[in-house]
């Protein structure tokens, strides 16, 4: 069965970076893009961008350019998202999701990132 | 960016009641619309894609309809397990955007 297993919760200081992972199983990893989505109570669900798991090509929401960097390791079927120059506004739950055409058919369990001094 | 406006923000329904949630796009999205259900502490789960196609394993009491800028999700007979938050999402243009969500509770 398709599974996206994300890494654990992160507590980070303002100005630092975090890198969270999303390990896929149960399907051919390079056949589907992976997207990342931010969820906060105030802003709801926000699309960050996607990575082409075959080529490594990326597309970012303008709002997250310079904030998020998406990478992939095909050998381990894992996608990564690094968040840099963290501020309290980056505190959120971050999901990876498998892209099927123009929708998200499988989601990871989410990673809570808390930015606090 | 395409704005997605959901209504109502919250509602409560009795067991067996029919529930309808609306989603309006700021421009024509040509049925590139998905619906998701999120239960507390869980990630969103796909219910409907392409405006009216039922995702695998989703009960047939869920259905989607609409075109152009107006879409709706219908639950034909409210069940206890249908409590949660429902989101719409447009997939026509990047960045993909979501509605703010509709919280559905059992009355």
């Amino acid at each position: 069965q398709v599974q996206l297993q994300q890494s654990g919760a992160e507590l980070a200081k303002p100005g630092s970076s975090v890198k969270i992972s999303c390990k896929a199983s149960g399907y051919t990893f390079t056949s589907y893009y992976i997207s990342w989505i931010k969820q906060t109570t105030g802003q709801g669900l926000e699309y960050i961008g996607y990575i082409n798991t075959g080529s490594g090509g990326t597309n970012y929401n303008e709002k997250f350019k310079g904030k998020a960097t998406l990478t992939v390791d095909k050998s381990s079927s894992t996608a990564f998202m690094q968040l840099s120059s963290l501020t309290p506004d980056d505190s959120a739950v971050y999901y990876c999701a498998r892209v099927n055409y123009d929708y998200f058919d499988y989601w990871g369990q989410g990673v809570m990132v808390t930015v606090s001094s | 960016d395409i704005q997605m406006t959901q209504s109502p923000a919250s509602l409560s329904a009795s067991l067996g009641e029919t529930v309808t949630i609306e989603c309006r796009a700021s421009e024509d999205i040509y049925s590139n619309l998905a619906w998701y259900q999120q239960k507390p502490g869980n990630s969103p789960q796909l219910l409907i894609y392409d405006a009216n196609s039922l995702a695998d394993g989703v009960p047939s009491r869920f259905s989607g309809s609409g075109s152009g800028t107006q879409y709706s999700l219908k639950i034909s007979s409210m069940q206890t397990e249908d409590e949660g938050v429902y989101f719409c999402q447009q997939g026509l243009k990047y960045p993909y955007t979501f509605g703010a969500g509709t919280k559905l509770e059992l009355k």
Side-chain angles (χ1 to χ4, degrees):
Chain A
Q1 71 282 22
V2 174
Q3 287 191 323
L4 298 176
Q5 183 65 40
Q6 296 186 240
S7 47
E10 299 273 2
L11 174 60
K13 295 200 182 309
S16 68
S17 299
V18 296
K19 189 172 185 177
I20 59 181
S21 65
C22 171
K23 183 172 176 58
S25 60
Y27 71 99
T28 302
F29 181 64
T30 53
S31 293
Y32 296 85
Y33 295 1
I34 292 287
S35 275
W36 292 84
I37 295 140
K38 177 183 182 182
Q39 185 170 35
T40 58
T41 304
Q43 297 296 318
L45 293 164
E46 294 182 277
Y47 175 80
I48 296 172
Y50 74 75
I51 186 162
N52 180 324
T53 51
S55 68
T58 54
N59 176 279
Y60 294 94
N61 183 341
E62 284 290 330
K63 179 177 178 179
F64 293 94
K65 284 184 177 178
K67 171 62 65 178
T69 302
L70 307 183
T71 57
V72 67
D73 177 8
K74 289 189 287 187
S75 68
S76 63
S77 298
T78 303
F80 301 91
M81 178 174 68
Q82 179 162 315
L83 298 169
S84 60
S85 303
L86 291 168
T87 73
D89 286 344
D90 297 318
S91 296
V93 176
Y94 291 87
Y95 293 100
C96 63
R98 193 178 82 163
V99 181
N100 194 333
Y101 292 102
D102 55 10
Y103 55 89
F104 310 111
D105 60 355
Y106 291 92
W107 296 59
Q109 82 275 21
V111 174
M112 181 171 289
V113 174
T114 303
V115 182
S116 174
S117 55
Chain B
D1 298 358
I2 296 176
Q3 305 303 313
M4 305 300 292
T5 304
Q6 270 185 252
S7 61
S10 64
L11 75 158
S12 60
S14 303
L15 279 175
E17 185 177 344
T18 295
V19 173
T20 300
I21 298 169
E22 307 282 344
C23 184
R24 185 181 78 247
S26 60
E27 62 184 84
D28 193 329
I29 57 172
Y30 302 97
S31 297
N32 290 281
L33 184 101
W35 290 96
Y36 303 87
Q37 176 195 59
Q38 185 175 30
K39 297 184 181 181
N42 289 347
S43 53
Q45 289 198 312
L46 178 69
L47 295 174
I48 301 285
Y49 62 95
D50 293 345
N52 58 17
S53 296
L54 201 64
D56 290 344
V58 175
S60 59
R61 63 180 179 274
F62 290 91
S63 64
S65 64
S67 62
T69 62
Q70 301 275 7
Y71 298 87
S72 61
L73 172 71
K74 187 171 85 169
I75 307 172
S76 61
S77 176
M78 175 74 180
Q79 302 299 307
T80 304
E81 60 267 31
D82 297 336
E83 283 191 304
V85 181
Y86 292 80
F87 297 95
C88 60
Q89 172 247 322
Q90 66 82 15
L92 179 67
K93 292 182 181 178
Y94 292 114
Y96 292 165
T97 46
F98 295 84
T102 295
K103 185 175 183 180
L104 174 61
E105 295 178 321
L106 187 63
K107 192 182 293 182

